[in-house]
Amino acid sequence: MKTVKIRNRKEEIVVGKMICVGRNYADHAKELGNEVPNKPVVFIKPSSSIIYTGGKVIHPKFSNNLHHEVELLLLIGKTIKDADDKLSEEAIAGYGLGLDMTLRDLQNEARTKGDPWTISKCFDTSAVISDFVLKSDYRLTLNEEITLSVNGNIRQKEKLNLMLFKPIQIVKYISSLLTLEEGDIIFTGTPAGVGKVVPGDKLHAEIEGIAKLDCEVV
Ligand code: ZN
């Protein structure tokens, strides 16, 4: 069982499922040769893949192309299904920062074959997550910048307002497909600049006002 820490709160929240949105920034969809979608692309990551800031991303032996994807995370605070805008907004308890580590070679192979890309997204240590900040302690404006650097060199840097689907739209859409529950985490997609990392690389991610995150690939 994995939990997340909340800024200014003692109790930790048990993580449920993690739902990820793909291709949510136009420039990133283009860099991977994908169409810009007219509805969010969604997939799941298991909570067993979680590690925290200061942790180590273990490079799987069965891949030669491990990529970083830095993303804004939403923490769900109540059970919703088929939510409207208002309920979707209310269901967002807080915000965090995460890395959706991805085995790009396995993902591309699966896409070519028409197979599920599960393993490329669900391997152990593939979800690096920060502490969260509650909505009552922080007001998201989407003018925040999200950045990721590898060994001190900036690879990803974008304003959150370039997301194609904004947090409320994402929650509303996912709740139209399946029930969201307290403790679920949503990965909202990554901006352009994804790229390969290898053992020894040190990653640093940040969203102004929300969180910072450090990890090392081993
Ligand atoms: Zn992602």
Side-chain angles (χ1 to χ4, degrees):
M1 202 170 66
K2 296 291 171 74
T3 59
V4 289
K5 287 201 185 96
I6 309 289
R7 190 193 300 172
N8 300 331
R9 297 290 189 281
K10 278 206 189 89
E11 67 274 22
E12 298 188 5
I13 308 266
V14 174
V15 179
K17 58 188 170 297
M18 300 195 289
I19 304 106
C20 307
V21 174
R23 302 170 207 165
N24 198 25
Y25 291 79
D27 286 352
H28 170 62
K30 279 187 210 138
E31 77 180 345
L32 294 185
N34 292 310
E35 303 270 310
V36 172
N38 56 17
K39 60 185 180 187
V41 175
V42 296
F43 57 94
I44 294 265
K45 255 170 141 59
S47 58
S48 56
S49 64
I50 290 175
I51 60 167
Y52 304 97
T53 184
K56 292 182 178 3
V57 176
I58 300 169
H59 194 311
K61 289 194 179 69
F62 48 83
S63 169
N64 287 311
N65 200 5
L66 172 63
H67 273 206
H68 54 76
E69 297 190 355
V70 67
E71 314 199 1
L72 169 72
L73 308 185
L74 309 175
L75 179 65
I76 297 299
K78 58 164 73 171
T79 300
I80 53 166
K81 179 74 203 291
D82 288 325
D84 58 12
D85 285 358
K86 184 169 175 287
L87 254 182
S88 300
E89 205 277 330
E90 286 169 10
I92 300 172
Y95 310 104
L97 166 65
L99 300 180
D100 168 21
M101 300 303 291
T102 303
L103 305 175
R104 197 71 69 201
D105 47 356
L106 271 70
Q107 186 189 35
N108 288 338
E109 194 185 318
R111 281 174 52 199
T112 305
K113 288 184 182 165
D115 288 344
W117 66 44
T118 307
I119 300 305
S120 71
K121 293 286 192 179
C122 298
F123 60 97
D124 290 350
T125 72
S126 64
V128 191
I129 63 175
S130 70
D131 293 352
F132 281 70
V133 58
L134 292 181
K135 247 182 357 189
S136 49
D137 289 338
Y138 183 81
R139 203 176 74 80
L140 186 75
T141 64
L142 295 180
N143 285 316
E144 296 86 351
E145 199 166 62
I146 183 167
T147 58
L148 176 108
S149 62
V150 178
N151 304 325
N153 303 311
I154 293 198
R155 295 253 191 109
Q156 296 186 271
K157 182 178 164 75
E158 198 66 272
K159 290 272 189 189
L160 293 177
N161 58 22
L162 286 176
M163 286 195 280
L164 299 170
F165 302 98
K166 305 297 192 281
I168 294 170
Q169 286 173 278
I170 291 171
V171 171
K172 185 178 177 181
Y173 178 69
I174 294 172
S175 89
S176 76
L177 305 172
L178 50 84
T179 299
L180 284 168
E181 298 172 296
E182 182 179 4
D184 289 349
I185 290 174
I186 298 175
F187 281 66
T188 61
T190 196
V194 300
K196 184 173 177 171
V197 287
V198 295
D201 283 346
K202 291 187 170 58
L203 281 60
H204 175 78
E206 214 167 315
I207 303 177
E208 303 171 280
I210 295 181
K212 294 180 184 179
L213 193 62
D214 286 284
C215 64
E216 185 182 353
V217 180
V218 297

